[in-house]
Each structure stands twice: as C-alpha cells, then as structure tokens.
Tab-separated table of all heavy atoms in Angstrom:
chain	number	residue	atom	x	y	z
A	15	LYS	N	6.672	0.779	-19.214
A	15	LYS	CA	7.947	0.783	-19.942
A	15	LYS	C	7.952	1.941	-20.938
A	15	LYS	O	6.993	2.159	-21.676
A	15	LYS	CB	8.158	-0.530	-20.694
A	15	LYS	CG	9.500	-0.602	-21.417
A	15	LYS	CD	9.749	-1.968	-22.007
A	15	LYS	CE	11.025	-1.998	-22.850
A	15	LYS	NZ	12.222	-1.565	-22.096
A	16	GLY	N	9.052	2.702	-20.939
A	16	GLY	CA	9.156	3.848	-21.832
A	16	GLY	C	8.556	5.128	-21.279
A	16	GLY	O	8.454	6.129	-21.996
A	17	SER	N	8.196	5.119	-19.994
A	17	SER	CA	7.596	6.317	-19.384
A	17	SER	C	8.676	7.224	-18.805
A	17	SER	O	9.864	6.884	-18.767
A	17	SER	CB	6.600	5.913	-18.298
A	17	SER	OG	7.240	5.153	-17.291
A	18	PHE	N	8.237	8.393	-18.342
A	18	PHE	CA	9.136	9.412	-17.817
A	18	PHE	C	8.795	9.701	-16.353
A	18	PHE	O	7.625	9.701	-15.972
A	18	PHE	CB	9.012	10.712	-18.621
A	18	PHE	CG	9.417	10.575	-20.061
A	18	PHE	CD1	8.474	10.205	-21.020
A	18	PHE	CD2	10.717	10.814	-20.463
A	18	PHE	CE1	8.833	10.078	-22.354
A	18	PHE	CE2	11.088	10.689	-21.797
A	18	PHE	CZ	10.148	10.310	-22.740
A	19	PHE	N	9.846	9.976	-15.561
A	19	PHE	CA	9.679	10.287	-14.143
A	19	PHE	C	10.266	11.661	-13.860
A	19	PHE	O	11.380	11.970	-14.288
A	19	PHE	CB	10.387	9.238	-13.282
A	19	PHE	CG	10.363	9.544	-11.810
A	19	PHE	CD1	9.206	9.386	-11.071
A	19	PHE	CD2	11.511	9.987	-11.161
A	19	PHE	CE1	9.182	9.671	-9.713
A	19	PHE	CE2	11.503	10.271	-9.809
A	19	PHE	CZ	10.333	10.111	-9.082
A	20	LEU	N	9.506	12.496	-13.139
A	20	LEU	CA	9.962	13.832	-12.745
A	20	LEU	C	9.841	13.969	-11.236
A	20	LEU	O	8.869	13.499	-10.641
A	20	LEU	CB	9.111	14.936	-13.387
A	20	LEU	CG	9.297	15.280	-14.865
A	20	LEU	CD1	8.746	14.184	-15.770
A	20	LEU	CD2	8.595	16.603	-15.188
A	21	ASN	N	10.798	14.661	-10.621
A	21	ASN	CA	10.711	14.955	-9.192
A	21	ASN	C	11.231	16.350	-8.919
A	21	ASN	O	12.399	16.661	-9.171
A	21	ASN	CB	11.506	13.944	-8.364
A	21	ASN	CG	11.295	14.135	-6.872
A	21	ASN	OD1	10.298	14.715	-6.445
A	21	ASN	ND2	12.225	13.634	-6.067
A	22	VAL	N	10.330	17.210	-8.406
A	22	VAL	CA	10.727	18.557	-7.984
A	22	VAL	C	10.323	18.812	-6.534
A	22	VAL	O	10.430	19.937	-6.054
A	22	VAL	CB	10.100	19.644	-8.891
A	22	VAL	CG1	10.570	19.501	-10.325
A	22	VAL	CG2	8.572	19.616	-8.809
A	23	GLY	N	9.845	17.757	-5.850
A	23	GLY	CA	9.391	17.925	-4.471
A	23	GLY	C	10.545	17.832	-3.498
A	23	GLY	O	11.166	18.833	-3.152
A	24	ARG	N	10.845	16.622	-3.060
A	24	ARG	CA	11.977	16.383	-2.161
A	24	ARG	C	12.729	15.150	-2.636
A	24	ARG	O	12.138	14.153	-3.057
A	24	ARG	CB	11.498	16.183	-0.718
A	24	ARG	CG	11.086	17.480	-0.028
A	24	ARG	CD	12.281	18.409	0.162
A	24	ARG	NE	11.927	19.663	0.824
A	24	ARG	CZ	11.609	20.783	0.192
A	24	ARG	NH1	11.571	20.797	-1.134
A	24	ARG	NH2	11.340	21.880	0.871
A	25	GLY	N	14.046	15.215	-2.551
A	25	GLY	CA	14.882	14.140	-3.055
A	25	GLY	C	14.697	12.829	-2.330
A	25	GLY	O	14.869	11.758	-2.922
A	26	ASP	N	14.338	12.894	-1.035
A	26	ASP	CA	14.248	11.639	-0.278
A	26	ASP	C	13.034	10.799	-0.647
A	26	ASP	O	12.839	9.714	-0.111
A	26	ASP	CB	14.307	11.905	1.229
A	26	ASP	CG	13.155	12.756	1.759
A	26	ASP	OD1	12.185	12.999	1.012
A	26	ASP	OD2	13.234	13.186	2.933
A	27	LEU	N	12.217	11.264	-1.582
A	27	LEU	CA	11.164	10.418	-2.145
A	27	LEU	C	11.759	9.228	-2.879
A	27	LEU	O	11.160	8.154	-2.944
A	27	LEU	CB	10.320	11.238	-3.124
A	27	LEU	CG	9.226	10.483	-3.875
A	27	LEU	CD1	7.903	10.614	-3.147
A	27	LEU	CD2	9.100	10.962	-5.316
A	28	VAL	N	12.971	9.404	-3.440
A	28	VAL	CA	13.524	8.490	-4.435
A	28	VAL	C	14.650	7.628	-3.873
A	28	VAL	O	15.564	8.135	-3.212
A	28	VAL	CB	14.047	9.284	-5.658
A	28	VAL	CG1	14.675	8.359	-6.695
A	28	VAL	CG2	12.910	10.084	-6.285
A	29	ASP	N	14.591	6.335	-4.171
A	29	ASP	CA	15.728	5.439	-4.022
A	29	ASP	C	16.558	5.620	-5.293
A	29	ASP	O	16.215	5.103	-6.348
A	29	ASP	CB	15.237	3.998	-3.884
A	29	ASP	CG	16.369	2.981	-3.787
A	29	ASP	OD1	17.497	3.273	-4.236
A	29	ASP	OD2	16.126	1.873	-3.299
A	30	THR	N	17.625	6.391	-5.188
A	30	THR	CA	18.367	6.788	-6.386
A	30	THR	C	19.038	5.609	-7.076
A	30	THR	O	19.151	5.583	-8.304
A	30	THR	CB	19.409	7.867	-6.037
A	30	THR	OG1	18.769	8.901	-5.276
A	30	THR	CG2	19.988	8.500	-7.304
A	31	ASP	N	19.467	4.618	-6.315
A	31	ASP	CA	20.038	3.417	-6.936
A	31	ASP	C	18.982	2.711	-7.791
A	31	ASP	O	19.277	2.247	-8.900
A	31	ASP	CB	20.565	2.461	-5.864
A	31	ASP	CG	21.806	2.984	-5.176
A	31	ASP	OD1	22.476	3.867	-5.752
A	31	ASP	OD2	22.107	2.512	-4.062
A	32	ALA	N	17.759	2.636	-7.282
A	32	ALA	CA	16.676	1.995	-8.039
A	32	ALA	C	16.351	2.791	-9.294
A	32	ALA	O	16.077	2.214	-10.360
A	32	ALA	CB	15.435	1.866	-7.164
A	33	LEU	N	16.403	4.112	-9.191
A	33	LEU	CA	16.163	4.950	-10.368
A	33	LEU	C	17.249	4.731	-11.417
A	33	LEU	O	16.955	4.592	-12.610
A	33	LEU	CB	16.113	6.424	-9.960
A	33	LEU	CG	16.008	7.433	-11.108
A	33	LEU	CD1	14.749	7.202	-11.941
A	33	LEU	CD2	16.042	8.861	-10.562
A	34	CYS	N	18.494	4.674	-10.979
A	34	CYS	CA	19.596	4.432	-11.919
A	34	CYS	C	19.421	3.086	-12.628
A	34	CYS	O	19.672	2.966	-13.836
A	34	CYS	CB	20.934	4.479	-11.182
A	34	CYS	SG	21.475	6.138	-10.697
A	35	GLN	N	18.983	2.086	-11.882
A	35	GLN	CA	18.761	0.765	-12.493
A	35	GLN	C	17.652	0.821	-13.531
A	35	GLN	O	17.756	0.214	-14.602
A	35	GLN	CB	18.417	-0.248	-11.397
A	35	GLN	CG	19.577	-0.583	-10.464
A	35	GLN	CD	19.137	-1.404	-9.262
A	35	GLN	OE1	18.033	-1.951	-9.237
A	35	GLN	NE2	19.992	-1.486	-8.249
A	36	ALA	N	16.588	1.556	-13.233
A	36	ALA	CA	15.464	1.671	-14.167
A	36	ALA	C	15.866	2.414	-15.432
A	36	ALA	O	15.388	2.112	-16.534
A	36	ALA	CB	14.292	2.374	-13.489
A	37	LEU	N	16.768	3.377	-15.303
A	37	LEU	CA	17.281	4.097	-16.472
A	37	LEU	C	18.243	3.220	-17.270
A	37	LEU	O	18.184	3.174	-18.496
A	37	LEU	CB	17.974	5.387	-16.034
A	37	LEU	CG	17.071	6.508	-15.516
A	37	LEU	CD1	17.911	7.602	-14.862
A	37	LEU	CD2	16.218	7.100	-16.636
A	38	ALA	N	19.144	2.536	-16.567
A	38	ALA	CA	20.150	1.715	-17.246
A	38	ALA	C	19.518	0.565	-18.020
A	38	ALA	O	19.988	0.203	-19.114
A	38	ALA	CB	21.146	1.163	-16.220
C-alpha cells in the first residue's frame, strides 16, 4: 500500500481497469 508502479516495456502487461481501481 502506498507504492508506485512504472511501465515502459509493453502496454499489454497491464490490466488497465485493475490499475485504475488500484489508483482510485
């Protein structure tokens, strides 16, 4: 909790909906 996530590789690594939920 309170950590940071970075991605500069490929976008398909990420479930973007799940990322949005984790940010929200």
Side-chain angles (χ1 to χ4, degrees):
K15 183 173 174 56
S17 59
F18 297 89
F19 175 74
L20 285 72
N21 187 22
V22 298
R24 284 294 180 266
D26 62 10
L27 176 94
V28 178
D29 177 337
T30 311
D31 290 340
L33 174 60
C34 287
Q35 291 170 14
L37 289 169

